[in-house]
Amino acid sequence: MTTKKKLSRGRAERLLSSYGADINRYPRDEINQARRSFADDPELQSAAAEVAGLDLLLDMSQVQVPSSTLRRATAEIPLRHPRLSTRPPKTMVIPFPLRTWQATVLGLLAGAMGVIMGLRPATAPGLPEDVVQIGNSTAHNSRTEDTGDLEELASLAFADDFAFTDDSNLTDFEGASTL
Amino acid sequence: MEERLQHNEWMRDIAAGDPAAFRSLCDRFLGPITGYAGRMLKNPQEAEDVAQETFLRVWTHSRSFVPTAAVSTWLYRIAHNLCMDRLRKHKRTSDRISELGDEDRPSLLLGRKELAAEVDRALAELPDRQRAAIGLVHYEGMGQAEAARILDVSVQALESLLSRARRALRKQLTGLQLSEPSP
């Protein structure tokens, strides 16, 4: 013998207040029980009739439909955002043996370090302080007639703020610290 | 169930870069997603922006889709989160309706268009999460589990949101009637 279960009054009222009068909106496993409960209970039926009025009003709300512009823009998404590759490579491809690759990287690093060390301004012992050694060559930094033009141009451009001083080199002028 | 399998197949093809599968997904879901965003935002242009952004994310993030959830759940969740982001930015309040004077209050008998506008206005006045719950369950016809998943709440919490939303709507719309018979 099968007992046809019904919902408790509280649960039936809860379903009405949450989902409205349309039983098809109720949780699937409670639909049959709800149907039986409403069929046998005039109070629930009148409560459902009242709630159905709100359902009808809600159904009057108008839904926005996509414009043709939106349809076009959406359809163009794959064109405007092409996939670079549909499948990423599983492993990194190294075009030559690993030992050679490692040696090349180390060599490049060492070379870069050497260049950096060689380019660093340093005053060689025995040279005047205004002579800067760059690699094997030397450059004299004292003011010459050539830098006189530069000074004139700088004073025209920056007034007195960036004028060269007697004991400064080309990269150390007044006002630089404020930049 | 068959529909869900079809959606999963589209997603698999989209993940492989198939524009035709993307178009099929758009044909199926662009309308509902735009409608949902329209109800949430009450701004047609913003709703369209959200819909477009949703499908752009589908295209660019299709590989992150895990078929344990329905494609529709994933789509609505993206759209819902985008809507909530915009609503948070705008901090929409119910000031507009409270500013209306008595002369703006609706009469009891209204034409179909006016009544629909009143319903839309009442929906717009709901707190965002309540409006989302009504939108998904009443208008999109979504099941409880799916709607709860999109809103990231339990089914009990969803029912609570729905119940409060309907109570508020009943209060706002009480007494309104259609002045003309239904066609």
Side-chain angles (χ1 to χ4, degrees):
Chain A
M1 184 182 136
T2 57
T3 53
K4 292 191 172 178
K5 284 185 183 175
K6 290 182 187 174
L7 297 173
S8 68
R9 167 63 72 86
R11 181 59 185 157
E13 285 172 348
R14 174 74 167 172
L15 289 175
L16 268 178
S17 72
S18 299
Y19 301 105
D22 184 356
I23 285 180
N24 294 320
R25 288 198 176 99
Y26 291 7
R28 205 170 292 168
D29 53 352
E30 290 179 288
I31 286 178
N32 287 335
Q33 294 176 52
R35 198 165 278 135
R36 283 191 286 273
S37 299
F38 284 110
D40 295 348
D41 192 330
E43 276 184 44
L44 279 178
Q45 285 170 16
S46 79
E50 202 177 312
V51 167
L54 180 61
D55 287 345
L56 282 174
L57 280 174
L58 290 180
D59 288 341
M60 298 192 76
S61 169
Q62 290 180 342
V63 66
Q64 182 179 342
V65 292
S67 67
S68 56
T69 312
L70 175 63
R71 288 189 185 282
R72 207 176 315 118
T74 314
E76 285 171 359
I77 284 174
L79 299 173
R80 282 186 280 118
H81 301 271
R83 296 272 171 77
L84 293 177
S85 82
T86 54
R87 209 166 288 176
K90 284 179 183 171
T91 53
M92 194 169 78
V93 178
I94 301 168
F96 39 80
L98 191 61
R99 282 184 184 175
T100 315
W101 178 76
Q102 281 176 327
T104 310
V105 170
L106 283 172
L108 285 172
L109 279 173
M113 286 296 286
V115 169
I116 290 165
M117 294 298 284
L119 285 175
R120 199 177 67 174
T123 306
L127 288 171
E129 282 191 2
D130 55 354
V131 176
V132 174
Q133 186 172 4
I134 301 172
N136 292 328
S137 64
T138 56
H140 205 278
N141 242 0
S142 63
R143 197 194 310 173
T144 62
E145 284 180 0
D146 291 337
T147 57
D149 293 339
L150 192 59
E151 183 185 3
E152 195 179 328
L153 280 171
S155 63
L156 279 172
F158 304 114
D160 294 333
D161 290 347
F162 296 133
F164 295 114
T165 56
D166 287 342
D167 54 353
S168 70
N169 62 32
L170 284 171
T171 57
D172 183 17
F173 45 81
E174 286 180 4
S177 60
T178 60
L179 289 176
Chain B
M1 196 65 189
E2 260 180 38
E3 197 185 28
R4 189 170 163 169
L5 289 174
Q6 173 70 77
H7 299 164
N8 284 344
E9 204 171 299
W10 285 340
M11 283 308 300
R12 196 194 56 217
D13 292 346
I14 291 168
D18 181 1
F22 180 76
R23 271 195 299 276
S24 301
L25 193 81
C26 288
D27 288 346
R28 169 66 184 82
F29 286 109
L30 184 61
I33 291 292
T34 309
Y36 177 71
R39 280 219 167 77
M40 284 301 290
L41 299 170
K42 288 293 160 204
N43 178 323
Q45 186 53 55
E46 278 198 277
E48 295 219 332
D49 289 348
V50 162
Q52 192 178 342
E53 178 67 22
T54 301
F55 284 93
L56 175 60
R57 290 192 184 193
V58 167
W59 178 250
T60 54
H61 292 75
S62 50
R63 283 185 195 138
S64 66
F65 171 72
V66 183
T68 49
V71 174
S72 58
T73 309
W74 191 59
L75 274 170
Y76 275 99
R77 185 146 189 182
I78 296 171
H80 174 75
N81 288 340
L82 289 170
C83 287
M84 294 305 276
D85 284 349
R86 281 174 186 254
L87 290 168
R88 266 192 289 272
K89 277 179 195 162
H90 295 323
K91 289 269 177 207
R92 285 189 180 169
T93 62
S94 56
D95 291 348
R96 273 177 303 152
I97 205 160
S98 59
E99 283 168 4
L100 295 174
D102 284 344
E103 65 277 11
D104 298 313
R105 295 280 177 213
S107 58
L108 290 178
L109 290 173
L110 297 170
R112 179 166 292 276
K113 215 172 174 181
E114 289 79 18
L115 198 48
E118 287 303 324
V119 172
D120 285 341
R121 189 150 69 172
L123 283 166
E125 292 304 316
L126 288 176
D128 299 335
R129 287 159 65 79
Q130 290 180 25
R131 188 165 63 258
I134 285 281
L136 293 172
V137 174
H138 187 89
Y139 292 109
E140 303 303 321
M142 211 164 268
Q144 296 69 35
E146 191 175 10
R149 207 167 185 178
I150 290 164
L151 299 180
D152 200 20
V153 295
S154 65
V155 171
Q156 287 78 11
L158 173 77
E159 289 187 352
S160 181
L161 284 170
L162 287 168
S163 180
R164 279 183 280 148
R166 291 181 66 95
R167 204 180 311 136
L169 288 168
R170 197 166 54 238
K171 202 173 166 188
Q172 288 267 353
L173 300 172
T174 193
L176 297 187
Q177 285 176 13
L178 192 61
S179 61
E180 60 203 49
S182 298

